[in-house]
Amino acid sequence: QVLLVESGGGSVQAGESLRLTCTISGYTRHYFSLGFLGWFRQRPGRAREGLTAIYARTGVTLSADSVEGRFTTSQDNAQNMHHVHLLINDLQPEDTGMYYCAADCRLDHNVPIDCDYWGQGTQVTVSS
């Protein structure tokens, strides 16, 4: 069973940055078999939205138009530990919500839309 655990969320002021981390474990095949890994968020009163995706094998990244330039995803793989990060710059109150990472994702127009494995999420709260 693939396990994804998010960390790095918190309460910040507008204009600050946060780096979220997703630690991935439990896969029985190679890490590359997870295909696309994605970041999503769910803001209060809104539907879940896909933000960024990264292809595990090559590190190629994709972003939704709405967050490109401010949200950056990356991965690091060392000593059999795999992490996917989401750096969010210039946070605004409208970025407040629960942020999730996911693995083995399907994409539509370069945006992750659904995945087979999900983390529990990490809360980001931005005050003005």
Side-chain angles (χ1 to χ4, degrees):
Q1 179 70 17
V2 178
L3 180 65
L4 301 101
V5 180
E6 301 93 337
S7 60
S11 297
V12 298
Q13 297 288 318
E16 294 181 347
S17 299
L18 274 177
R19 189 192 194 212
L20 309 183
T21 294
C22 177
T23 301
I24 305 154
S25 62
Y27 40 89
T28 55
R29 297 179 293 168
H30 196 277
Y31 170 72
F32 294 159
S33 70
L34 296 178
F36 280 101
L37 299 123
W39 281 98
F40 295 75
R41 70 180 172 189
Q42 184 147 25
R43 295 182 282 182
R46 303 193 189 190
R48 185 185 69 197
E49 57 184 315
L51 303 172
T52 66
I54 185 166
Y55 192 53
R57 180 177 293 276
T58 63
V60 170
T61 60
L62 302 163
S63 299
D65 289 343
S66 60
V67 301
E68 189 152 13
R70 210 162 54 87
F71 288 44
T72 305
T73 194
S74 60
Q75 64 181 1
D76 66 77
N77 308 315
Q79 297 181 341
N80 296 321
M81 294 293 292
H82 299 281
H83 302 91
V84 176
H85 306 286
L86 181 67
L87 174 64
I88 312 173
N89 291 319
D90 191 24
L91 279 153
Q92 299 299 315
E94 55 265 33
D95 292 317
T96 293
M98 188 71 78
Y99 286 71
Y100 300 89
C101 69
D104 202 3
C105 300
R106 273 73 64 192
L107 275 62
D108 183 22
H109 291 86
N110 293 338
V111 176
I113 55 172
D114 196 15
C115 312
D116 286 349
Y117 306 101
W118 292 85
Q120 294 298 306
T122 186
Q123 176 69 34
V124 172
T125 303
V126 186
S127 55
S128 57

